[in-house]
């Protein structure tokens, strides 16, 4: 079975001409469609390291930009980011500062993840942002650098496109 989605070359060219966000969106959308929209252990076993790293970056970016690291952890993605070699992989892509941020964030994640991940009311969830203020600086750092990091991810994906998708001419 081919574990790379197929994308028309013209679709990639068109998306790239609109910017790095659009380019990444096309690649990620096709990857997510291939796995049925959900990251499962079964699919992780069938994807290559670059595909998994790209999905990890998208998850990290979407969650942190929406609600910070507390939201990322509460929504159950902490282990995906912090207990896998995500930081090492991103460092290999040239995102040294992002890898460093993930490594710094690991300690409070390890200390508080049980409490943050528990089921709670909306009010209790909102209170977590104040209670776990240790994540504020990490959130700020991510938000300040997200555009540059996303551009770097797009560049890496473009330079290694065959690792992510099959391009149909």
């Amino acid at each position: 079975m081919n574990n790379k989605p197929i994308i028309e070359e013209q679709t990639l060219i068109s998306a790239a001409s609109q910017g790095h966000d659009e380019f990444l969106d096309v690649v990620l959308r096709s990857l997510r469609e291939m796995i049925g929209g959900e990251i499962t252990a079964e699919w992780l076993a069938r994807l290559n390291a670059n595909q998994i790293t790209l999905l990890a970056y998208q998850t990290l970016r979407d969650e942190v930009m929406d609600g910070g690291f507390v939201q990322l952890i509460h929504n159950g993605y902490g282990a995906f980011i912090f207990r896998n070699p995500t930081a090492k992989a991103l460092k290999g892509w040239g995102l040294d500062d992002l890898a460093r941020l993930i490594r710094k964030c690991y300690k409070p994640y390890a200390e508080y993840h049980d409490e943050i991940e528990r089921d709670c009311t909306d009010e209790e969830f909102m209170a977590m942002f104040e209670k776990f203020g240790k994540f504020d600086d990490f959130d700020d750092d991510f938000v300040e650098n997200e555009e540059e990091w996303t551009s770097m991810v797009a560049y890496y994906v473009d330079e290694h496109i065959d690792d992510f998708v099959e391009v149909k001419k």
Side-chain angles (χ1 to χ4, degrees):
M1 176 181 188
N2 181 5
N3 289 327
K4 292 192 284 186
I6 299 169
I7 300 178
E8 295 283 340
E9 182 178 43
Q10 191 54 48
T11 301
L12 285 173
I13 292 169
S14 176
S17 73
Q18 296 173 44
H20 61 263
D21 286 326
E22 290 78 6
F23 171 76
L24 277 180
D25 188 51
V26 166
V27 174
L28 281 159
R29 192 171 44 244
S30 69
L31 194 54
R32 286 227 179 242
E33 285 173 12
M34 183 184 77
I35 64 172
E38 203 167 317
I39 301 168
T40 64
E42 177 188 343
W43 268 108
L44 288 177
R46 294 162 70 186
L47 298 175
N48 67 45
N50 274 338
Q51 290 170 320
I52 294 168
T53 302
L54 182 58
L55 288 168
Y57 179 75
Q58 179 193 34
T59 301
L60 175 67
R61 181 186 68 187
D62 290 354
E63 292 291 321
V64 173
M65 293 300 289
D66 188 50
F69 281 96
V70 168
Q71 177 176 303
L72 172 100
I73 297 163
H74 179 74
N75 286 343
Y77 297 113
F80 183 45
I81 301 301
F82 298 112
R83 296 194 189 271
N84 284 305
T86 305
K88 183 178 180 180
L90 289 168
K91 183 176 173 61
W93 287 13
L95 286 100
D96 295 357
D97 290 339
L98 178 55
R100 198 170 6 266
L101 174 65
I102 292 169
R103 285 193 303 274
K104 280 195 244 175
C105 197
Y106 176 79
K107 185 177 180 182
Y109 160 75
E111 186 174 345
Y112 301 115
H113 78 90
D114 285 335
E115 192 173 348
I116 295 171
E117 290 169 351
R118 70 177 172 77
D119 286 336
C120 62
T121 65
D122 287 344
E123 293 80 24
E124 290 169 325
F125 173 70
M126 295 309 291
M128 285 186 197
F129 291 99
E130 189 170 324
K131 183 174 185 177
F132 300 108
K134 290 184 179 205
F135 292 98
D136 289 351
D137 288 341
F138 302 131
D139 295 344
D140 292 346
D141 192 4
F142 190 92
V143 170
E144 289 170 16
N145 291 288
E146 180 273 333
E147 191 172 326
E148 177 185 354
W149 289 338
T150 298
S151 178
M152 292 171 74
V153 167
Y155 179 79
Y156 184 88
V157 170
D158 187 40
E159 291 295 306
H160 302 89
I161 194 69
D162 292 337
D163 289 349
F164 299 93
V165 300
E166 184 179 321
V167 180
K168 185 176 177 185
K169 304 248 181 215

